[in-house]
Amino acid sequence: ELIGKSARQALILIAQYNGGFVRTIEAKPLLVGAGILQPTKNIWGAIHTTLSRSSEFERVPDEKGTFRLKDYSHQGTLLPAA
């Protein structure tokens, strides 16, 4: 589902499938696997910047690297079980 999307669009989809939340560290392998971002040294910074500058997300207080989708309506999971 992520292939062909922009990073912002993909992060919105990831959040929708994860109860409205997205963590930078969990989004990284999904975005790289879909070919949206290249696996560079500072990829977490690119993801964090995209999330913080997007009007669709807000930062979750006291949860490092975690953002909340301001409005979501679908739940599921795209992340592998830990």
Coordinates of all heavy atoms in Angstrom, one line a residue:
E1 N 0.8 -1.2 0.0 CA 0.0 0.0 0.0 C 0.8 1.3 0.0 O 0.4 2.3 -0.4 CB -0.9 0.0 1.2 CG -2.1 -0.8 1.1 CD -3.0 -0.6 2.3 OE1 -3.5 0.5 2.5 OE2 -3.3 -1.6 3.0
L2 N 2.1 1.2 0.4 CA 2.9 2.4 0.6 C 3.7 2.7 -0.7 O 4.0 3.9 -0.9 CB 3.9 2.2 1.7 CG 3.4 1.9 3.1 CD1 4.5 1.7 4.1 CD2 2.4 3.0 3.5
I3 N 3.9 1.8 -1.6 CA 4.6 2.0 -2.8 C 4.0 3.0 -3.6 O 2.8 3.0 -3.9 CB 4.8 0.7 -3.6 CG1 5.7 -0.3 -2.7 CG2 5.5 0.9 -4.9 CD1 5.8 -1.7 -3.3
G4 N 4.8 4.0 -4.1 CA 4.3 5.1 -4.9 C 3.7 6.3 -4.2 O 3.3 7.3 -4.8
K5 N 3.7 6.2 -2.9 CA 3.2 7.4 -2.1 C 4.4 8.3 -1.7 O 5.5 7.9 -1.7 CB 2.6 6.8 -0.8 CG 1.5 5.8 -1.0 CD 0.2 6.5 -1.1 CE -1.0 5.6 -1.0 NZ -1.7 5.4 -2.2
S6 N 4.0 9.5 -1.3 CA 5.0 10.4 -0.8 C 5.3 10.0 0.7 O 4.5 9.2 1.3 CB 4.6 11.8 -0.8 OG 3.5 12.0 0.1
A7 N 6.4 10.5 1.3 CA 6.7 10.1 2.7 C 5.5 10.6 3.6 O 5.1 9.8 4.5 CB 8.0 10.8 3.1
R8 N 5.0 11.7 3.4 CA 3.9 12.2 4.2 C 2.6 11.3 4.1 O 2.0 10.9 5.0 CB 3.5 13.7 3.9 CG 2.5 14.3 4.8 CD 2.2 15.7 4.5 NE 1.5 16.1 3.4 CZ 0.3 15.7 2.9 NH1 -0.3 14.7 3.5 NH2 -0.2 16.2 1.8
Q9 N 2.3 11.0 2.8 CA 1.1 10.1 2.6 C 1.3 8.7 3.2 O 0.4 8.2 3.8 CB 0.9 9.9 1.1 CG 0.4 11.2 0.4 CD 0.5 11.0 -1.1 OE1 1.3 10.3 -1.7 NE2 -0.4 11.8 -1.8
A10 N 2.6 8.2 3.1 CA 2.9 6.9 3.7 C 2.8 7.0 5.2 O 2.3 6.0 5.8 CB 4.2 6.4 3.2
L11 N 3.3 8.0 5.8 CA 3.2 8.2 7.3 C 1.8 8.3 7.8 O 1.4 7.7 8.8 CB 4.0 9.4 7.7 CG 5.6 9.2 7.6 CD1 6.3 10.5 7.7 CD2 6.1 8.2 8.6
I12 N 0.9 8.9 7.0 CA -0.5 9.0 7.4 C -1.1 7.6 7.3 O -1.8 7.2 8.2 CB -1.2 10.0 6.4 CG1 -0.8 11.4 6.7 CG2 -2.8 9.8 6.6 CD1 -1.3 12.4 5.7
L13 N -0.8 6.8 6.3 CA -1.3 5.4 6.2 C -0.8 4.6 7.4 O -1.5 3.8 8.0 CB -0.9 4.8 4.9 CG -1.7 5.2 3.7 CD1 -1.1 4.6 2.4 CD2 -3.2 4.7 3.8
I14 N 0.5 4.7 7.7 CA 1.1 3.9 8.8 C 0.3 4.3 10.1 O 0.0 3.4 10.8 CB 2.6 4.2 8.9 CG1 3.3 3.6 7.7 CG2 3.1 3.6 10.2 CD1 4.8 4.1 7.6
A15 N 0.1 5.6 10.3 CA -0.6 6.0 11.5 C -2.0 5.4 11.6 O -2.5 5.0 12.6 CB -0.6 7.5 11.6
Q16 N -2.7 5.5 10.4 CA -4.1 5.0 10.4 C -4.1 3.5 10.7 O -5.1 3.1 11.4 CB -4.7 5.2 9.0 CG -5.0 6.7 8.7 CD -5.4 6.9 7.3 OE1 -5.2 6.1 6.4 NE2 -6.1 8.0 7.1
Y17 N -3.2 2.7 10.3 CA -3.1 1.3 10.6 C -2.6 1.0 12.0 O -2.6 -0.2 12.4 CB -2.3 0.6 9.5 CG -3.1 0.3 8.3 CD1 -3.0 1.2 7.2 CD2 -3.9 -0.8 8.1 CE1 -3.7 1.0 6.1 CE2 -4.7 -1.0 7.0 CZ -4.5 -0.1 6.0 OH -5.3 -0.3 4.8
N18 N -2.1 2.0 12.7 CA -1.6 1.8 14.1 C -2.3 2.6 15.1 O -1.6 3.2 16.0 CB -0.1 2.0 14.0 CG 0.6 0.9 13.3 OD1 0.7 -0.2 13.8 ND2 1.2 1.3 12.2
G19 N -3.6 2.7 15.0 CA -4.4 3.4 16.0 C -4.1 4.9 16.1 O -4.4 5.5 17.1
G20 N -3.7 5.5 15.0 CA -3.5 6.9 14.9 C -2.1 7.4 15.4 O -1.9 8.6 15.4
F21 N -1.2 6.4 15.7 CA 0.1 6.8 16.2 C 1.2 6.3 15.2 O 1.0 5.2 14.5 CB 0.4 6.2 17.5 CG -0.5 6.8 18.6 CD1 -1.7 6.2 18.9 CD2 0.0 7.9 19.3 CE1 -2.5 6.7 19.9 CE2 -0.8 8.5 20.3 CZ -2.1 7.9 20.6
V22 N 2.3 7.0 15.1 CA 3.4 6.6 14.3 C 4.7 6.9 15.1 O 4.8 8.0 15.7 CB 3.4 7.2 12.9 CG1 3.6 8.6 12.9 CG2 4.5 6.5 12.1
R23 N 5.6 6.0 15.2 CA 6.9 6.2 15.8 C 8.0 6.2 14.7 O 8.0 5.4 13.8 CB 7.2 5.1 16.8 CG 6.3 5.1 18.0 CD 6.6 4.1 19.0 NE 7.9 4.3 19.6 CZ 8.8 3.4 20.0 NH1 8.4 2.1 19.9 NH2 10.0 3.7 20.4
T24 N 8.9 7.2 14.8 CA 9.9 7.4 13.8 C 10.7 6.1 13.6 O 10.9 5.7 12.5 CB 10.9 8.5 14.3 OG1 10.1 9.7 14.5 CG2 11.9 8.8 13.2
I25 N 11.1 5.4 14.7 CA 11.9 4.2 14.6 C 11.2 3.1 13.9 O 11.8 2.2 13.2 CB 12.5 3.8 16.0 CG1 13.6 2.8 15.8 CG2 11.4 3.3 16.9 CD1 14.5 2.7 17.0
E26 N 9.8 3.0 14.1 CA 9.0 1.9 13.4 C 8.7 2.2 12.0 O 8.5 1.3 11.2 CB 7.8 1.7 14.3 CG 8.1 1.1 15.6 CD 6.8 1.1 16.5 OE1 5.8 1.8 16.2 OE2 6.9 0.4 17.6
A27 N 8.6 3.5 11.7 CA 8.3 3.9 10.3 C 9.5 3.7 9.3 O 9.3 3.5 8.1 CB 7.8 5.4 10.3
K28 N 10.7 3.8 9.9 CA 11.9 3.8 9.0 C 12.0 2.5 8.2 O 12.1 2.7 6.9 CB 13.1 3.9 9.9 CG 14.4 3.7 9.2 CD 15.6 3.7 10.2 CE 16.9 3.3 9.5 NZ 18.0 3.3 10.4
P29 N 11.8 1.3 8.7 CA 12.0 0.1 7.8 C 10.8 0.0 6.8 O 11.0 -0.5 5.7 CB 12.0 -1.1 8.8 CG 11.4 -0.6 10.0 CD 11.7 0.9 10.1
L30 N 9.6 0.5 7.1 CA 8.5 0.5 6.2 C 8.8 1.5 5.0 O 8.5 1.1 3.9 CB 7.2 0.9 6.9 CG 6.8 -0.1 8.0 CD1 5.6 0.5 8.8 CD2 6.4 -1.4 7.4
L31 N 9.2 2.7 5.3 CA 9.5 3.6 4.3 C 10.7 3.2 3.4 O 10.6 3.4 2.2 CB 9.8 5.0 4.9 CG 8.6 5.6 5.6 CD1 9.0 6.9 6.3 CD2 7.4 5.9 4.7
V32 N 11.7 2.6 4.0 CA 12.8 2.1 3.2 C 12.4 0.9 2.3 O 12.7 0.8 1.1 CB 14.0 1.8 4.1 CG1 15.1 1.0 3.3 CG2 14.6 3.0 4.7
G33 N 11.6 0.0 2.9 CA 11.2 -1.2 2.2 C 10.3 -0.8 1.0 O 10.3 -1.6 0.0
A34 N 9.5 0.2 1.2 CA 8.6 0.6 0.1 C 9.3 1.5 -1.0 O 8.8 1.8 -2.0 CB 7.4 1.4 0.6
G35 N 10.6 1.8 -0.7 CA 11.4 2.6 -1.7 C 11.1 4.1 -1.6 O 11.4 4.8 -2.6
I36 N 10.4 4.5 -0.6 CA 10.1 5.9 -0.5 C 11.3 6.8 0.0 O 11.5 7.9 -0.5 CB 8.9 6.1 0.5 CG1 7.7 5.4 -0.1 CG2 8.6 7.6 0.8 CD1 6.5 5.2 0.9
L37 N 12.1 6.2 0.9 CA 13.3 6.9 1.4 C 14.4 6.0 1.2 O 14.3 4.7 1.3 CB 13.1 7.3 2.8 CG 12.1 8.4 3.2 CD1 12.0 8.6 4.7 CD2 12.4 9.7 2.5
Q38 N 15.6 6.5 1.1 CA 16.8 5.8 1.0 C 17.4 5.5 2.4 O 17.3 6.4 3.2 CB 17.9 6.5 0.1 CG 17.4 6.7 -1.3 CD 17.2 5.4 -2.0 OE1 18.0 4.5 -1.9 NE2 16.1 5.3 -2.8
P39 N 18.0 4.4 2.6 CA 18.6 4.1 3.9 C 19.8 4.8 4.2 O 20.9 4.3 4.1 CB 18.8 2.6 3.9 CG 19.0 2.3 2.4 CD 18.2 3.3 1.7
T40 N 19.7 6.1 4.5 CA 20.9 7.0 4.8 C 21.1 7.0 6.3 O 20.3 6.6 7.1 CB 20.7 8.4 4.3 OG1 19.5 9.0 4.9 CG2 20.4 8.4 2.8
K41 N 22.2 7.6 6.7 CA 22.6 7.8 8.1 C 21.6 8.6 8.9 O 21.3 8.3 10.0 CB 24.0 8.4 8.1 CG 24.6 8.6 9.5 CD 26.0 9.2 9.3 CE 26.5 9.7 10.6 NZ 27.8 10.3 10.5
N42 N 21.0 9.6 8.2 CA 20.1 10.5 8.9 C 18.7 10.4 8.5 O 17.9 11.4 8.6 CB 20.6 12.0 8.7 CG 22.0 12.2 9.3 OD1 22.3 11.8 10.4 ND2 22.8 13.0 8.5
I43 N 18.3 9.2 8.2 CA 16.9 9.0 7.7 C 15.9 9.3 8.8 O 14.8 9.8 8.6 CB 16.7 7.6 7.2 CG1 15.3 7.4 6.6 CG2 16.9 6.5 8.3 CD1 15.1 6.1 5.9
W44 N 16.2 9.0 10.1 CA 15.3 9.3 11.2 C 15.0 10.8 11.2 O 13.9 11.2 11.6 CB 15.8 8.9 12.5 CG 17.1 9.6 13.0 CD1 18.4 9.3 12.7 CD2 17.1 10.8 13.7 NE1 19.2 10.2 13.2 CE2 18.4 11.2 13.8 CE3 16.1 11.7 14.2 CZ2 18.8 12.4 14.5 CZ3 16.5 12.8 14.9 CH2 17.9 13.1 15.0
G45 N 16.0 11.7 10.9 CA 15.8 13.1 10.9 C 14.8 13.5 9.8 O 14.0 14.4 10.0
A46 N 14.9 12.9 8.7 CA 14.0 13.2 7.6 C 12.5 12.8 7.9 O 11.6 13.6 7.7 CB 14.4 12.5 6.3
I47 N 12.4 11.7 8.6 CA 11.1 11.2 9.0 C 10.5 12.2 10.1 O 9.4 12.6 10.1 CB 11.1 9.8 9.5 CG1 11.5 8.8 8.4 CG2 9.8 9.4 10.1 CD1 11.9 7.4 8.8
H48 N 11.4 12.5 11.1 CA 10.9 13.4 12.2 C 10.5 14.8 11.6 O 9.5 15.3 12.0 CB 12.1 13.5 13.2 CG 11.6 14.2 14.4 ND1 11.7 15.6 14.5 CD2 11.1 13.8 15.6 CE1 11.3 15.9 15.7 NE2 10.9 14.9 16.4
T49 N 11.3 15.3 10.7 CA 11.0 16.6 10.1 C 9.7 16.5 9.4 O 8.9 17.5 9.5 CB 12.2 17.0 9.2 OG1 13.4 17.1 10.0 CG2 11.9 18.4 8.5
T50 N 9.5 15.5 8.6 CA 8.2 15.3 7.9 C 7.0 15.3 8.8 O 6.0 16.0 8.6 CB 8.2 14.0 7.0 OG1 9.4 14.1 6.1 CG2 7.0 13.9 6.2
L51 N 7.2 14.6 9.9 CA 6.1 14.5 10.9 C 5.8 15.8 11.6 O 4.7 16.2 11.8 CB 6.4 13.4 11.9 CG 6.3 11.9 11.4 CD1 6.9 11.0 12.3 CD2 4.8 11.6 11.1
S52 N 6.9 16.5 12.0 CA 6.7 17.7 12.7 C 6.2 18.9 11.9 O 5.5 19.7 12.4 CB 8.0 18.2 13.5 OG 9.2 17.7 13.0
R53 N 6.5 18.8 10.6 CA 6.1 19.9 9.7 C 4.7 19.7 9.1 O 4.1 20.6 8.6 CB 7.1 20.2 8.6 CG 8.4 20.7 9.1 CD 9.3 21.0 8.0 NE 10.6 21.6 8.5 CZ 11.6 21.9 7.8 NH1 11.6 21.7 6.5 NH2 12.7 22.4 8.4
S54 N 4.2 18.5 9.2 CA 2.9 18.1 8.7 C 1.8 18.6 9.6 O 1.8 18.4 10.8 CB 2.8 16.6 8.5 OG 1.5 16.2 8.1
S55 N 0.8 19.2 9.0 CA -0.4 19.7 9.7 C -1.3 18.5 10.2 O -2.1 18.7 11.1 CB -1.2 20.7 8.9 OG -1.7 20.0 7.7
E56 N -1.1 17.3 9.7 CA -1.9 16.2 10.0 C -1.4 15.5 11.3 O -2.2 14.7 11.9 CB -1.9 15.1 8.9 CG -2.6 15.5 7.7 CD -1.7 16.2 6.7 OE1 -0.5 16.4 6.9 OE2 -2.3 16.6 5.6
F57 N -0.2 15.8 11.8 CA 0.3 15.2 13.0 C 0.6 16.2 14.1 O 0.8 17.3 13.9 CB 1.6 14.5 12.6 CG 1.5 13.3 11.8 CD1 1.6 13.4 10.4 CD2 1.2 12.0 12.3 CE1 1.5 12.2 9.6 CE2 1.0 10.9 11.5 CZ 1.2 11.0 10.1
E58 N 0.6 15.6 15.3 CA 1.0 16.4 16.5 C 1.9 15.5 17.3 O 1.7 14.3 17.4 CB -0.2 16.9 17.3 CG -1.1 15.8 17.9 CD -2.4 16.3 18.5 OE1 -2.6 17.5 18.4 OE2 -3.1 15.5 19.0
R59 N 2.8 16.1 18.0 CA 3.8 15.4 18.8 C 3.1 14.9 20.0 O 2.3 15.6 20.6 CB 5.0 16.3 19.1 CG 6.1 15.6 19.6 CD 7.4 16.5 19.6 NE 8.4 15.8 20.3 CZ 8.7 15.9 21.5 NH1 8.1 16.8 22.3 NH2 9.7 15.2 22.1
V60 N 3.4 13.6 20.5 CA 2.9 13.1 21.7 C 3.9 13.5 22.8 O 5.1 13.1 22.8 CB 2.8 11.5 21.6 CG1 2.4 11.0 22.9 CG2 1.9 11.1 20.5
P61 N 3.4 14.2 23.8 CA 4.3 14.7 24.9 C 4.8 13.5 25.7 O 4.2 12.5 25.9 CB 3.3 15.5 25.8 CG 2.1 15.7 25.0 CD 2.0 14.7 24.0
D62 N 6.1 13.6 26.1 CA 6.8 12.6 26.9 C 7.0 11.3 26.2 O 7.3 10.3 26.9 CB 6.1 12.4 28.2 CG 6.0 13.7 29.0 OD1 7.0 14.5 29.0 OD2 5.0 13.9 29.7
E63 N 6.8 11.2 24.9 CA 7.1 10.0 24.1 C 8.0 10.3 23.0 O 7.5 10.8 21.9 CB 5.8 9.3 23.6 CG 4.8 9.0 24.8 CD 4.3 7.6 24.6 OE1 4.8 6.8 23.8 OE2 3.4 7.3 25.4
K64 N 9.2 10.1 23.2 CA 10.3 10.4 22.2 C 10.0 9.8 20.8 O 9.8 8.6 20.7 CB 11.6 10.0 22.7 CG 12.8 10.5 21.9 CD 14.1 10.1 22.5 CE 15.2 10.6 21.7 NZ 16.5 10.3 22.3
G65 N 10.0 10.6 19.8 CA 9.8 10.1 18.4 C 8.4 9.6 18.1 O 8.2 8.9 17.1
T66 N 7.4 9.9 18.9 CA 6.1 9.5 18.7 C 5.1 10.6 18.3 O 5.2 11.7 18.9 CB 5.5 8.8 19.9 OG1 6.4 7.7 20.3 CG2 4.1 8.2 19.7
F67 N 4.4 10.4 17.2 CA 3.4 11.4 16.8 C 2.0 10.8 16.6 O 1.9 9.6 16.4 CB 3.9 12.0 15.4 CG 5.1 12.8 15.5 CD1 6.4 12.2 15.5 CD2 5.1 14.2 15.5 CE1 7.5 12.9 15.6 CE2 6.2 14.9 15.5 CZ 7.4 14.3 15.6
R68 N 1.0 11.7 16.8 CA -0.4 11.3 16.8 C -1.0 11.9 15.5 O -0.8 13.1 15.3 CB -1.1 11.7 18.0 CG -2.6 11.4 18.0 CD -3.3 12.0 19.3 NE -2.6 11.5 20.5 CZ -2.1 12.3 21.4 NH1 -2.2 13.6 21.3 NH2 -1.6 11.8 22.5
L69 N -1.8 11.1 14.8 CA -2.5 11.6 13.7 C -3.7 12.4 14.3 O -4.5 11.8 15.1 CB -3.0 10.5 12.8 CG -3.6 10.8 11.5 CD1 -2.7 11.6 10.6 CD2 -4.0 9.5 10.8
K70 N -3.9 13.6 13.9 CA -5.0 14.4 14.5 C -6.3 13.9 14.3 O -7.2 14.0 15.1 CB -4.9 15.9 14.0 CG -3.6 16.6 14.5 CD -3.6 18.0 14.0 CE -2.4 18.7 14.5 NZ -2.3 20.1 14.0
D71 N -6.6 13.3 13.1 CA -7.9 12.7 12.8 C -7.7 11.4 12.0 O -7.1 11.4 10.9 CB -8.7 13.7 11.9 CG -10.1 13.2 11.6 OD1 -10.7 12.5 12.5 OD2 -10.6 13.5 10.5
Y72 N -8.1 10.3 12.6 CA -8.1 9.0 11.9 C -9.3 8.3 12.1 O -10.1 8.5 13.1 CB -6.8 8.2 12.4 CG -7.0 7.6 13.7 CD1 -7.4 6.2 13.8 CD2 -6.8 8.2 14.9 CE1 -7.6 5.6 15.0 CE2 -7.0 7.6 16.1 CZ -7.4 6.3 16.2 OH -7.5 5.7 17.4
S73 N -9.6 7.3 11.2 CA -10.9 6.6 11.3 C -10.7 5.1 11.1 O -11.6 4.3 11.2 CB -11.9 7.1 10.3 OG -11.4 7.0 9.0
H74 N -9.5 4.6 10.7 CA -9.3 3.2 10.4 C -8.2 2.7 11.3 O -7.2 3.3 11.5 CB -8.8 3.1 8.9 CG -8.6 1.6 8.5 ND1 -9.6 0.8 8.3 CD2 -7.4 1.0 8.4 CE1 -9.1 -0.4 7.9 NE2 -7.8 -0.3 8.0
Q75 N -8.4 1.4 11.8 CA -7.4 0.8 12.6 C -7.0 -0.5 12.0 O -7.8 -1.2 11.4 CB -7.9 0.6 14.0 CG -8.2 1.9 14.8 CD -8.7 1.7 16.2 OE1 -9.2 0.6 16.5 NE2 -8.5 2.7 17.0
G76 N -5.8 -0.9 12.3 CA -5.3 -2.2 11.8 C -3.8 -2.2 12.2 O -3.4 -1.6 13.1
T77 N -3.0 -2.9 11.4 CA -1.5 -2.9 11.7 C -0.7 -3.1 10.4 O -1.1 -4.0 9.6 CB -1.1 -3.9 12.8 OG1 0.3 -3.6 13.1 CG2 -1.4 -5.3 12.5
L78 N 0.3 -2.3 10.3 CA 1.3 -2.6 9.2 C 2.6 -3.0 9.8 O 3.5 -3.4 9.1 CB 1.5 -1.3 8.4 CG 0.5 -0.9 7.4 CD1 0.9 0.5 6.7 CD2 0.4 -1.9 6.3
L79 N 2.8 -2.8 11.1 CA 4.0 -3.1 11.7 C 4.1 -4.6 12.1 O 3.1 -5.2 12.6 CB 4.2 -2.2 13.0 CG 4.2 -0.7 12.7 CD1 4.3 0.0 14.0 CD2 5.4 -0.4 11.8
P80 N 5.3 -5.2 12.0 CA 5.4 -6.6 12.4 C 5.3 -6.7 14.0 O 5.7 -5.7 14.7 CB 6.9 -6.9 12.0 CG 7.6 -5.6 11.8 CD 6.5 -4.6 11.5
A81 N 4.9 -7.8 14.4 CA 4.8 -8.0 15.9 C 6.1 -8.1 16.5 O 7.1 -8.6 15.9 CB 4.0 -9.3 16.1
A82 N 6.3 -7.5 17.6 CA 7.6 -7.4 18.3 C 7.9 -8.7 19.0 O 7.1 -9.5 19.4 CB 7.6 -6.2 19.3

